[in-house]
Amino acid sequence: MKFKTILERTVAAWIGMCTLLLLIRPMDLPVTKDSFSAIPIWVFLLCIIAAFIIMTLFHHFTKFKHADTWLFAAAISLFLLLVAVRAEDIFTSSACVVLLVILLFYIQRQIPNDHIPTLGKKATTILVIIILAAIGCYVAWIGYMRYRIYASPTYDYGIFNQMFYYMKETFTPLTTCERDGLLSHFAVHLSPIYYLLLPIYLLFPYGATLNIAQGFIVSLSILPMFFLCRAKKLSRLTSLILCLITALFPALTGGTLYDIHENCFLLPLLLTLFCFYERRQLWPLYICSILVLCVKEDAAIYLAFFAIYILLDDRNMRKHGAILLALSIAWFMGASILLAAFGEGTMTDRYSDYISEGGGLLSMVANLIRTPSLALQISFSFSEEKITFILLMLLPLLFLPFVTKRMHRYILICPMVLINLMTPYLYQFDIGFQYVFGSGAFLLYAAILNLSDLSQLSRRRIIPLILGATILLFSAHIAAPNTFYFSYYAEQHQRIAVLDEALTKIPDHASVTASSFLLPHLAQREELYDLDYTNKQTEWVAIELSNENNKNAAQTYQENGYQTVYQVDDVICILQKTSS
C-alpha cells in the first residue's frame, strides 16, 4: 500500500468522524472544547480505525479507481462546509474557502480529467430552466415566509403593498404610509418599472405577491447569463455551470432579504444589456438601456459606467457609448430636477461626507476633484461590515473581476466602489439589502469577460474552484441563516394564527394606524399610517404588543377615546375609535 494511499485514507477516516460529530450536534449549540468530551479518546480512535478498515475493504472489493482520493476530498469538503455554516463568520468562511481551493487543486492534480463531457442543446435548455425555477422558488419562498411570519415592515414592504393597491384601483403609485400623508411614491423615487409588475398583481392581489414576484424577477437573470456566456464562445457545459454560480451568488438572494425593491430589476436587466452589447444587437441594447433607467433615478449611474466601458472597449461602438452616456446623464439630471421641483429631491444625504453645507451633487463632484483622498479614506476605511461585504461579493468569484490585463475592464468594478463603498450608509454595504443588485451584475459580467480570455485548460481548472467557493459561501451566509424563517414559523404558528385572526376584525377600506410589522397585512386600503410616524386619528388601530413602546402606545390610545375590540396579551391589540 502506497504512502499516499495510507495518508489519504487515514485523513479521510479522521475528518469523516469529525464531520459525523458535527452533523449529530444540534445546529443551535456551539462547538466548544467540551462539546464531545463525553466520548473517550480511545473510542474515537477506534472509530477512526474502523472507518479506515471499511474504506480498505471497499477499495479491495470494488477496485474503484481513485476511491481514496474521492473519499478524502468528500470528507474534507463536507467538514469545511459544516465549519463555515456553523460559524456564520466571514473570516472563518474565507479560511474554509482557501482550504477548499487548495483541496480542489490537489484533486485536479491527482485525478487528471482529459475527457470533457458535452451537453446537447435540449439537455442544456432543460437544466437551465431547472436552475432558474429552483432559485426562483427558493427566493420566492423566503419572501413569502418573511411576509407570513410578520417579518416584513412598513419600510419598504408596507409602502409597496399599499402602492400597488392604489395602482390597481387608480393606476397611480400613491401611498399614505410612506410620508404620513397621500403622496406619490414617484415623489421619492422615480421608478416606472413597477408598472411591469402590475399585471401580475392584478391577477394575484395578495399581500405576499410582490415578494414572491421578486424571487422570479431575480431568477430571470439566469437566462441572460447563459446567453452572455454563449456570446463569449463558452461551451454549453461551462455556461451551465456559470448559470449555477450566478444562482448561488450571494448577492442574488441576499438582495431580496429585505423584501421587494425596484432594484431587483437591475440584475436581469443589466445582464441582458451586457448580452445585447456582446452580440452587437443595437435596438435591443437601446430598449434595455431605457428599461434600466426606468428602475430608479440613480440607475443612470450604472448605465453611465457601462457607456464609459463601451467607449474604451470598442472603437466601432464609441458612437453608441457616447449616446448611452448622454442619455444616462440627461435622465439623471432630468429626474433630479423633477424630484427637486415636485418631490422630495434625491437622497444625497447618504453621501453627505462629500457635500459641503448647503451644497448638492455638484458640490460632491467638486470636492472629489479637489480631494480624491476623501473617497479613498471613506471607501477603504475597513470596518468589519465592509470587509464582510467585499468578501461576499468577490470571494465567490475568487476575485476573477480583477484578473485581467485590459485596464479598461476595471471600470466594471467602479459601480461597487461608488454605490457600496464610498458611502457611510450602512445598508449600502450589506449583502442583505437591495443595493447589491447593480454592482453584482457588473462583477458577474467582469468575471465572464476575464474567464473567456483564459485558455480552455485554465477555464477547466478555475471554474470548479469558483463553484466550490460559491456553494460554500451561499450555504454559510444565505441558506443557513434563512432557515430561521421556517423554524420560527414552526415555533410561533399559534402566535401567527392569533395575528391573522385579529386583523380580520378590521373592516375593509377602514382607515387604520398600525405598527410596522402589521401594516403590510393591512395595505389593501386608501388610508393607512405607521404607528411610529403619525399622530393622525384613524377609525381603527392595530398594535403588535411585542415591546414596551407599543404597549404604551396602546394604553395611550385607550385613554384617548379608543376602545379595545380584540386583545391577546403580549401579542396584539385592536382598537376602534369611539363616536364622540
Side-chain angles (χ1 to χ4, degrees), residues 131-379:
I131 292 172
L132 187 155
I135 193 63
C137 290
Y138 176 73
V139 177
W141 186 246
I142 290 177
Y144 169 76
M145 289 304 295
R146 275 185 58 82
Y147 176 81
R148 188 69 191 91
I149 68 171
Y150 291 81
S152 299
T154 299
Y155 296 92
D156 293 330
Y157 198 61
I159 292 169
F160 295 134
N161 247 351
Q162 191 189 26
M163 183 184 81
F164 270 85
Y165 167 77
Y166 265 101
M167 289 167 67
K168 177 172 72 78
E169 298 295 326
T170 69
F171 205 66
T172 54
L174 300 174
T175 71
T176 57
C177 60
E178 185 165 17
R179 292 294 187 269
D180 197 33
L182 190 63
L183 177 78
S184 170
H185 176 67
F186 291 179
V188 180
H189 290 303
L190 203 55
S191 305
I193 196 75
Y194 268 131
Y195 280 97
L196 292 182
L197 265 183
L198 186 56
I200 295 174
Y201 190 80
L202 291 174
L203 289 172
F204 307 102
Y206 309 118
T209 296
L210 300 180
N211 265 359
I212 293 171
Q214 178 180 231
F216 290 102
I217 289 169
V218 296
S219 72
L220 288 175
S221 307
I222 302 303
L223 295 179
M225 172 56 70
F226 178 79
F227 290 114
L228 177 59
C229 293
R230 297 295 287 157
K232 297 307 295 180
K233 309 301 182 186
L234 299 177
S235 69
R236 289 194 184 100
L237 178 60
T238 299
S239 302
L240 181 68
I241 295 173
L242 288 168
C243 286
L244 180 58
I245 289 168
T246 301
L248 300 178
F249 188 49
L252 185 147
T253 304
T256 68
L257 295 180
Y258 200 67
D259 304 311
I260 192 170
H261 195 280
E262 53 261 30
N263 282 20
C264 71
F265 287 94
L266 283 173
L267 189 59
L269 285 177
L270 285 171
L271 289 175
T272 304
L273 181 69
F274 304 150
C275 182
F276 286 141
Y277 169 68
E278 293 298 334
R279 297 170 69 148
R280 298 302 190 266
Q281 294 176 294
L282 296 180
W283 280 111
L285 178 74
Y286 282 111
I287 292 170
C288 197
S289 298
I290 293 169
L291 287 174
V292 169
L293 294 176
C294 289
V295 171
K296 200 177 174 185
E297 64 279 359
D298 60 9
I301 295 170
Y302 299 109
L303 185 61
F305 275 118
F306 183 57
I308 294 170
Y309 171 76
I310 292 175
L311 288 170
L312 299 173
D313 184 59
D314 186 349
R315 66 177 60 189
N316 295 323
M317 290 289 288
R318 284 178 181 171
K319 177 181 74 173
H320 303 287
I323 293 172
L324 292 180
L325 182 60
L327 179 64
S328 61
I329 293 172
W331 173 264
F332 185 75
M333 291 180 63
S336 299
I337 291 169
L338 282 173
L339 287 171
F342 303 105
E344 300 200 345
T346 53
M347 292 187 174
T348 56
D349 57 307
R350 296 174 184 179
Y351 293 89
S352 57
D353 288 355
Y354 304 95
I355 300 173
S356 302
E357 188 174 350
L361 288 174
L362 292 178
S363 169
M364 175 180 171
V365 174
N367 287 333
L368 284 173
I369 292 173
R370 284 192 296 260
T371 321
S373 61
L374 187 62
L376 292 172
Q377 178 183 329
I378 294 173
S379 299

Side-chain angles (χ1 to χ4, degrees), residues 232 399-406 409-410 412-413 443-455 459:
K232 297 307 295 180
F399 292 85
L400 190 59
F402 289 93
V403 184
T404 181
K405 295 179 181 179
R406 303 188 183 190
R409 285 188 184 169
Y410 288 108
L412 301 174
I413 300 167
L443 292 178
L444 288 168
Y445 181 42
I448 296 301
L449 293 176
N450 296 345
L451 189 67
S452 66
D453 287 344
L454 300 178
S455 66
R459 289 202 297 267

Side-chain angles (χ1 to χ4, degrees), residues 507-572:
D508 296 341
H509 309 299
S511 61
V512 178
T513 298
S515 55
S516 183
F517 293 101
L518 297 179
L519 188 144
H521 296 257
L522 295 164
Q524 305 286 319
R525 63 193 70 246
E526 294 180 2
E527 197 172 351
L528 180 65
Y529 304 101
D530 188 288
L531 176 70
D532 294 328
Y533 297 95
T534 191
N535 53 14
K536 289 183 168 62
Q537 297 284 306
T538 54
E539 299 169 276
W540 290 77
V541 176
I543 304 176
E544 189 179 9
L545 303 176
S546 55
N547 58 66
E548 287 302 316
N549 287 339
N550 283 5
K551 291 176 183 177
N552 293 335
Q555 185 176 347
T556 301
Y557 274 102
Q558 289 166 345
E559 293 169 355
N560 287 274
Y562 283 81
Q563 66 176 1
T564 301
V565 174
Y566 183 95
Q567 181 169 342
V568 175
D569 290 343
D570 296 325
V571 180
I572 191 171

Side-chain angles (χ1 to χ4, degrees), residues 3-22:
F3 175 75
K4 169 181 165 294
T5 301
I6 296 173
L7 181 63
E8 287 182 345
R9 203 170 292 176
T10 302
V11 172
W14 168 47
I15 295 298
M17 294 309 301
C18 294
T19 302
L20 183 61
L21 291 180
L22 290 179

